[in-house]
Amino acid sequence: MAQAYTPGLMVSRGGVWRRRRLLPIAGEVLVRVGDRVEAQDVVARTLMPGDAVPVNLARLLGVSPGELPHCLKFQEGEQVKKGDLLAESPGIFGLFRTQTPAPATGTLESISKVTGQVLLRGAPLAVEVLAYLRGTVVEVLPHEGVVIEAPAAFIQGIFGIGGEAYGELVTVSAGPEDDLTDEQIRPEHAGKVLVAGRRMTGDAIRKAIKLRVSAVIAGGMDDQDLREILGYDLGVAVTGTEKLGTSLIITEGFGEIAMARRTFDLLRSHAGDNVAVNGATQIRAGVMRPEILIPLDDATGRLTAESAGAGLLEVGVPVRIIREPGFGALGTVAGLPNEPAWLESGSKARVVEVQLQAGPKVVVPRANVELIEG
Amino acid sequence: MAEGNGLHSAAVKPPIDPDSLQVILATDCGSTTTKAILIEKVDGVYRQTFRGEAPTTVEEPIADVTMGVINAATEVGELAGRRLVDENGLLIRPSQGNDGCDIYISTSSAGGGLQMLVAGVVRQMTAASAERAALGAGAIVMETLASNDKRRPFEQIQRIRELRPDMILLAGGTDGGTRRHVVQLAELIAPAKPQPRFGGQFKMPVIYAGNREAAVDVRRVLGEVAELSVVDNVRPVLERENLAPARDRIHDLFLEHVMAHAPGYDKLMDWADTPIMPTPGAVGDILRTIAERQGINAVGVDIGGATTDVFSVFHSVFNRTVSANLGMSYSISNVCAEAGLESILRWVPYDTNERELRNRVKNKMIRPTTIPQTLEALMFEQAVAREALRLSYIQHRSFAVDLRGVQQQRSVGDMFAQETGDRSIVDNMALDLLVASGGVLSHAPRMEQTAAMLIDAFEPEGITRLAKDSIFMMPHLGVLAQVHPQAAMDVFERDCLVYLGTCIAPAGLAHDGEVCLRYRIQGGGLDERGELAFGDWKRLPLPADRTAVVTLEPARRFNVGAGPGVALEREVRGGEVGIVLDGRGRPLRLPSDPVESRRKVRRWNSAISMYPEE
């Protein structure tokens, strides 16, 4: 076989991108088709039901569920304050009455005649959805949200921490081989999206969080640093809800691994632009990778990416080795032997011959390379 | 099989004539890899002939599972010299000459599998029955709610709100029993307004399988907020479970809701000639068939990228557990977090740099399809596998307590006894067959490695036969059995299981070097007599088609199946590894000192030629 499918991440200089911005539950859409929106404009809003507090009043009062409505001091739908007399048992000849105060403030949502349970619903929680992408509203999904379309450069990271973040892109490393140290992070970087080269050090991350940097992008980071910063060992790669205050995105992997030159150059060429990033990662089927979206002034591409990262492994295409030995090494496909080959591990697997950029030709399992842009 | 498989399809397919099948293409769409096998009728018998695989393609930018299927099918086709995919990227059916296949069937665990929330009134009774129905259907149980789970109601509501399961199974109460507690559970689910994982605009599917007299009240409470189905009670009376109707409905909803919303699954369902089964459901069915046909106690394990499933059949009682975050790629980092890196490193025979190792683990997690290329990387992955398997088996043993499946009577006394939580029906001394499945076990370069991982993690006691799924085809055969049982059995008996041999492990502890077993082994080309020192293990070759008679005389504190110090004679069968005499003790303990542990592990590895140049 002269070619094979291999996965990879997307890096695009320009294309027209769409993002669905949806409310978690039905609500109000605040924009119309054709409206121009800025990244941090609110496009939809809703009120989430507040916390529910069930109270088994029948049991507390010592009455049957059927008797409960006669004991209640409030009707369904009425507001109740914490400490208000919620219900009172009739007692015996009016004596020995049991009173139950409301354990929380809220609305009396329901009264069950089967279980004798009432439900107090706390104040609704406001949820707002931002546009995220500076662009045009191309579709309104009534009560659900919108679809925003915009010309943008797009970079997928391999792993991230923290959710959506915004800010001006600032390149702080001189080149993709340079680590990000804490000395390079200064107070004026607050609210900015910083681009580093190889590895963001633990000290640099801590300083970025302290100075309220919006996001940091680098080739790699150490798991040891991540563990210290999070305060726990990340077991499953489902992220995005961390509350560090700074979103972190790595584009290549864990350890000291330089950012791909093309990615670094693309980010550097947009220094000063306002970008939207999202560190949320979900490495499961239905995978979500972190992303960086850099709005462009006009459409320079098509709706689909000009350069999908995944595709066919063919002789001549540039690849990166994504497992030891040689993790991170770049090269081009020199051959795709049809027959499986023996590996040092003793396994037999289909392999690819890679001519390394710096060094000899090596043979690695096909599963251990990914396509990159030349 | 005791229970129905509950296969229902939304799309009606034409009936399949089993006699017409000459070429069968089967795939299993795993969370990491899509595995395709070709089964062909050769000289009147079905044989598995070729195998291929490709990365599963549910991730952007492809986001279409059928791409992985086509890639895997293309690889099989190339190896077989048979064109399975046409120029339009579609499977060719029916077969003609060297082109196409007659049917295409598939299992799937991609999309994160089937994720469920279950609820019941009493944790150890109806909630446990609901959990078993969900697990038996091939689901991952994200959470089990019960009236007596010690959480306050608002905490339970909060938990329901946080989760996004594919569906909810609500049980509770025997028929004619408690209504109030069941409705109370419904009243917790309703205000939480749960949102399904896929398809936010749809209502959450809820299956009610509790006290039938409460069904009307449950419908009144949940009818507005959920898509409610009512099926027969999973626990109609306290002494009996009835899991099949709930299982069937779970399968229906799996196809209608989960599969239909996963990327490309609408197309995959259309392609498949039979309904797609959840992978664990298919594996469980095959294991039960083996145990029933041979009348034995069996444990099977399927270790995947994201999850590890353990199946057991002891005295005809089937149990399955899913350890949702113990696996070798997506979940590898969680294995390290749960077991602790030091527990994994006990099994690694070389010195390591922890910082570098942690980065390697995370890199495997974020690029889950990579494979170990060096021997060191292989040793490390096999060390991780031991801990993932060990933790999964601990979970299984604690779940598989003295509970019985369909049509089996249990007394009320059993119910109360089980609340102590220590009456696992999983008994390693009574275990006859241990079957390994899943990439790290099935694809280990040496059979000795698979045997060692199984023995180290499961610690079988007495006499236990070991086998592995040769190329991970149990899921494929599970689904094939639904359309052509004979074909499935043909392939299973001839091509699926590779017998590794027999493990003989005296249970007990002593000091290193003390004699724990005297043995005589005769037959199959062997005539061996000797003593086994505590702390040692050894391997004696005995081919798969040969048997030998073993006479075992355990030391006073050791048991090989007949009781402490009691001798035993038994015929055992060989395999690719042969007979393993394991005198390392039960429970198996490694030195706490890392240097001493490494030295010991190196010695053990060398004793059974586990790795080259050792």
Side-chain angles (χ1 to χ4, degrees):
Chain A
M1 189 159 82
Q3 55 186 29
Y5 167 84
T6 190
L9 299 171
M10 192 180 285
V11 175
S12 169
R13 262 186 273 271
V16 176
W17 303 92
R18 286 185 172 194
R19 286 291 176 271
R20 285 164 77 88
R21 308 294 293 164
L22 300 179
L23 290 163
I25 58 169
E28 184 188 4
V29 176
L30 305 173
V31 291
R32 287 178 298 186
V33 172
D35 284 358
R36 292 279 305 165
V37 288
E38 291 297 317
Q40 296 187 66
D41 286 352
V42 178
V43 292
R45 178 184 291 146
T46 191
L47 293 173
M48 287 273 284
D51 290 338
V53 180
V55 187
N56 198 320
L57 275 181
R59 188 168 48 78
L60 291 172
L61 297 175
V63 300
S64 71
E67 291 173 292
L68 187 60
H70 306 297
C71 306
L72 277 166
K73 302 295 180 191
F74 292 86
Q75 300 291 313
E76 259 183 16
E78 286 186 338
Q79 284 291 316
V80 179
K81 280 203 190 110
K82 185 175 179 178
D84 282 352
L85 180 60
L86 189 57
E88 186 177 38
S89 71
I92 303 166
F93 304 118
L95 299 173
F96 309 113
R97 290 168 184 254
T98 305
Q99 296 185 329
T100 305
T105 298
T107 307
L108 184 56
E109 186 173 279
S110 66
I111 304 159
S112 172
K113 289 175 186 162
V114 178
T115 62
Q117 181 162 273
V118 301
L119 193 77
L120 294 176
R121 177 74 71 178
L125 311 164
V127 178
E128 291 182 336
V129 172
L130 305 184
Y132 181 57
L133 201 54
R134 188 186 81 201
T136 308
V137 179
V138 292
E139 191 180 349
V140 168
L141 307 160
H143 309 295
E144 283 191 69
V146 296
V147 179
I148 311 281
E149 183 179 291
F154 176 69
I155 294 163
Q156 259 186 329
I158 189 85
F159 178 79
I161 289 286
E164 292 175 2
Y166 306 87
E168 180 193 330
L169 207 58
V170 178
T171 312
V172 283
S173 292
E177 303 281 349
D178 297 325
D179 289 345
L180 178 68
T181 59
D182 56 334
E183 298 88 36
Q184 293 170 280
I185 300 178
R186 299 186 300 272
E188 60 266 33
H189 290 145
K192 305 281 170 67
V193 175
L194 305 187
V195 178
R198 191 170 67 167
R199 171 185 157 223
M200 52 174 99
T201 61
D203 288 341
I205 298 169
R206 276 183 280 273
K207 190 162 177 194
I209 293 168
K210 189 177 164 195
L211 294 180
R212 297 171 183 271
V213 169
S214 186
V216 181
I217 306 162
M221 72 193 301
D222 254 10
D223 178 48
Q224 193 77 41
D225 291 332
L226 178 64
R227 196 160 68 129
E228 286 169 15
I229 287 155
L230 290 177
Y232 57 89
D233 197 352
L234 187 80
V236 182
V238 178
T239 69
T241 56
E242 298 76 14
K243 305 287 182 208
L244 298 179
T246 302
S247 291
L248 309 173
I249 295 177
I250 56 173
T251 57
E252 319 300 324
F254 284 87
E256 290 175 341
I257 175 162
M259 186 180 288
R261 166 65 69 178
R262 175 187 154 88
T263 308
F264 185 82
D265 288 347
L266 178 58
L267 288 167
R268 185 160 60 179
S269 70
H270 285 283
D273 287 3
N274 279 308
V275 302
V277 307
N278 190 354
T281 308
Q282 188 177 316
I283 305 173
R284 287 267 153 150
V287 173
M288 189 166 39
R289 295 282 184 183
E291 63 181 19
I292 302 144
L293 279 154
I294 308 166
L296 302 174
D297 288 334
D298 52 47
T300 54
R302 291 164 284 119
L303 180 61
T304 51
E306 65 177 16
S307 54
L312 291 175
L313 198 61
E314 294 174 291
V315 172
V317 301
V319 291
R320 182 211 317 268
I321 295 174
I322 54 173
R323 177 119 189 197
E324 297 78 16
F327 177 69
L330 303 173
T332 51
V333 174
L336 287 160
N338 197 31
E339 289 302 310
W342 292 105
L343 308 178
E344 187 210 314
S345 65
S347 300
K348 214 171 180 187
R350 301 192 90 186
V351 295
V352 53
E353 293 167 6
V354 179
Q355 176 62 56
L356 297 178
Q357 270 179 10
K361 193 193 285 186
V362 293
V363 176
V364 295
R366 289 186 189 185
N368 292 0
V369 298
E370 70 182 6
L371 291 176
I372 55 163
E373 289 303 311
Chain B
M1 238 160 273
E3 289 175 52
N5 291 292
L7 292 172
H8 301 264
S9 174
V12 177
K13 309 262 179 178
I16 295 164
D17 172 15
D19 296 335
S20 70
L21 303 181
Q22 298 292 323
V23 184
I24 299 163
L25 175 67
T27 59
D28 171 59
C29 304
S31 53
T32 316
T33 313
T34 298
K35 281 82 60 178
I37 62 169
L38 201 63
I39 294 167
E40 296 175 86
K41 203 169 189 177
V42 182
D43 299 329
V45 178
Y46 289 96
R47 300 296 301 263
Q48 186 273 321
T49 50
F50 294 94
R51 174 185 191 280
E53 66 179 43
T56 294
T57 49
V58 285
E59 182 171 0
E60 292 287 355
I62 304 295
D64 180 349
V65 73
T66 59
M67 177 67 88
V69 169
I70 286 298
N71 289 327
T74 302
E75 185 162 303
V76 171
E78 284 176 3
L79 294 169
R82 170 175 287 277
R83 201 167 67 101
L84 292 168
V85 180
D86 69 15
E87 52 283 356
N88 299 317
L90 295 170
L91 296 174
I92 300 168
R93 277 170 293 180
S95 66
Q96 281 186 321
N98 275 337
D99 282 359
C101 59
D102 294 312
I103 58 164
Y104 166 63
I105 55 179
S106 190
T107 55
S108 173
S109 58
L114 166 61
Q115 301 186 9
M116 290 185 66
L117 182 147
V118 304
V121 171
V122 180
R123 179 71 189 83
Q124 297 84 354
M125 294 185 191
T126 47
S129 296
E131 199 172 345
R132 250 188 314 281
L135 287 165
I140 293 166
V141 175
M142 303 169 87
E143 181 69 71
T144 302
L145 293 178
S147 304
N148 69 335
D149 69 12
K150 296 193 169 69
R151 281 176 291 192
R152 287 177 292 177
F154 77 87
E155 290 172 323
Q156 292 175 313
I157 292 174
Q158 198 56 37
R159 185 69 184 133
I160 301 168
R161 284 177 73 158
E162 287 164 9
L163 295 171
R164 291 189 71 133
D166 295 313
M167 64 185 82
I168 296 173
L169 174 61
L170 170 61
T174 53
D175 285 341
T178 179
R179 260 176 72 203
R180 193 164 57 86
H181 287 97
V182 185
V183 178
Q184 232 162 26
L185 282 172
E187 287 174 355
L188 295 179
I189 294 170
K193 297 185 169 55
Q195 300 289 311
R197 188 161 57 113
F198 293 115
Q201 64 273 45
F202 298 100
K203 285 183 182 173
M204 171 68 74
V206 176
I207 302 165
Y208 175 65
N211 178 5
R212 62 182 171 202
E213 291 180 8
V216 174
D217 297 319
V218 169
R219 187 175 290 286
R220 186 179 46 74
V221 176
L222 289 175
E224 292 284 307
V225 296
E227 187 187 301
L228 185 71
S229 332
V230 177
V231 300
D232 289 350
N233 195 345
V234 290
R235 201 69 167 258
V237 290
L238 210 53
E239 297 78 12
R240 186 166 64 84
E241 282 181 337
N242 176 30
L243 307 181
R247 271 191 61 175
D248 288 354
R249 189 67 193 135
I250 292 168
H251 278 295
D252 284 348
L253 292 172
F254 175 67
L255 293 169
E256 290 165 20
H257 286 261
V258 185
M259 294 297 237
H261 295 115
Y265 272 89
D266 48 348
K267 213 176 352 167
L268 188 70
M269 287 196 288
D270 188 46
W271 286 4
D273 291 300
T274 62
I276 295 164
M277 279 181 89
T279 304
V283 175
D285 284 355
I286 273 289
L287 189 79
R288 273 194 286 185
T289 307
I290 303 166
E292 280 169 16
R293 285 168 78 107
Q294 299 184 11
I296 57 171
N297 296 325
V299 167
V301 63
D302 175 16
I303 179 165
T307 64
T308 297
D309 286 3
V310 180
F311 310 83
S312 70
V313 184
F314 278 88
H315 312 295
S316 303
V317 180
F318 173 75
N319 273 290
R320 168 181 171 249
T321 48
V322 185
S323 297
N325 290 320
L326 296 175
M328 293 304 298
S329 60
Y330 294 104
S331 305
I332 189 169
S333 182
N334 196 56
V335 176
C336 298
E338 280 200 25
L341 201 54
E342 63 285 353
S343 293
I344 290 165
L345 293 179
R346 297 181 304 163
W347 302 106
V348 177
Y350 54 87
D351 198 7
T352 53
N353 173 329
E354 183 174 335
R355 173 177 169 268
E356 192 184 312
L357 212 53
R358 284 190 175 280
N359 285 336
R360 285 185 184 193
V361 167
K362 283 288 190 295
N363 282 325
K364 169 80 176 181
M365 175 183 78
I366 60 177
R367 289 190 170 91
T369 54
T370 61
I371 60 173
Q373 183 177 351
T374 64
L375 188 58
E376 280 196 3
L378 179 81
M379 287 172 169
F380 181 71
E381 282 212 7
Q382 294 187 345
V384 175
R386 282 172 170 85
E387 288 303 301
L389 294 168
R390 188 177 65 80
L391 293 175
S392 303
Y393 198 42
I394 289 170
Q395 288 183 9
H396 184 81
R397 292 177 75 142
S398 62
F399 175 76
V401 287
D402 192 15
L403 292 168
R404 294 167 193 170
V406 176
Q407 312 288 334
Q408 302 242 352
Q409 300 295 313
R410 50 201 311 253
S411 71
V412 176
D414 288 341
M415 303 284 175
F416 291 109
Q418 87 188 8
E419 287 187 2
T420 61
D422 57 3
R423 285 188 51 182
S424 179
I425 60 168
V426 174
D427 176 3
N428 272 3
M429 189 60 87
L431 177 61
D432 299 303
L433 175 66
L434 179 53
V435 183
S437 186
V440 70
L441 292 169
S442 291
H443 297 330
R446 292 189 178 190
M447 302 283 183
E448 290 82 358
Q449 293 164 6
T450 307
M453 282 187 274
L454 281 179
I455 295 169
D456 292 344
F458 289 84
E459 301 186 29
E461 297 171 0
I463 300 171
T464 312
R465 201 169 183 207
L466 309 176
K468 74 165 189 172
D469 180 355
S470 60
I471 53 163
F472 190 57
M473 65 168 101
M474 294 218 305
H476 308 79
L477 298 185
V479 69
L480 177 59
Q482 309 306 315
V483 282
H484 202 321
Q486 188 54 48
M489 277 301 122
D490 279 356
V491 177
F492 182 79
E493 282 164 9
R494 288 174 172 79
D495 303 310
C496 179
L497 281 199
V498 172
Y499 285 100
L500 302 171
T502 299
C503 174
I504 297 171
L509 293 170
H511 293 293
D512 276 6
E514 286 180 27
V515 174
C516 61
L517 179 74
R518 288 185 176 80
Y519 60 86
R520 175 141 201 215
I521 303 173
Q522 288 178 298
L526 287 174
D527 188 3
E528 297 274 340
R529 186 195 292 268
E531 292 179 341
L532 182 65
F534 186 81
D536 286 348
W537 70 342
K538 59 176 80 170
R539 181 172 75 90
L540 300 169
L542 181 66
D545 56 350
R546 310 293 287 272
T547 60
V549 175
V550 296
T551 308
L552 306 171
E553 292 176 25
R556 194 165 50 85
R557 296 191 305 277
F558 286 85
N559 182 6
V560 287
V566 180
L568 182 71
E569 188 175 285
R570 179 87 64 84
E571 186 179 78
V572 300
R573 298 180 68 173
E576 299 291 330
V577 175
I579 296 173
V580 176
L581 292 168
D582 184 358
R584 300 174 304 163
R586 296 292 184 267
L588 181 55
R589 289 177 182 159
L590 274 83
S592 52
D593 173 48
V595 176
E596 178 61 17
S597 184
R598 278 200 292 276
R599 190 189 61 75
K600 202 160 200 174
V601 167
R602 269 199 299 273
R603 186 160 63 82
W604 289 345
N605 291 350
S606 177
I608 64 163
S609 310
M610 203 170 342
Y611 298 108
E613 295 168 29
E614 284 226 323

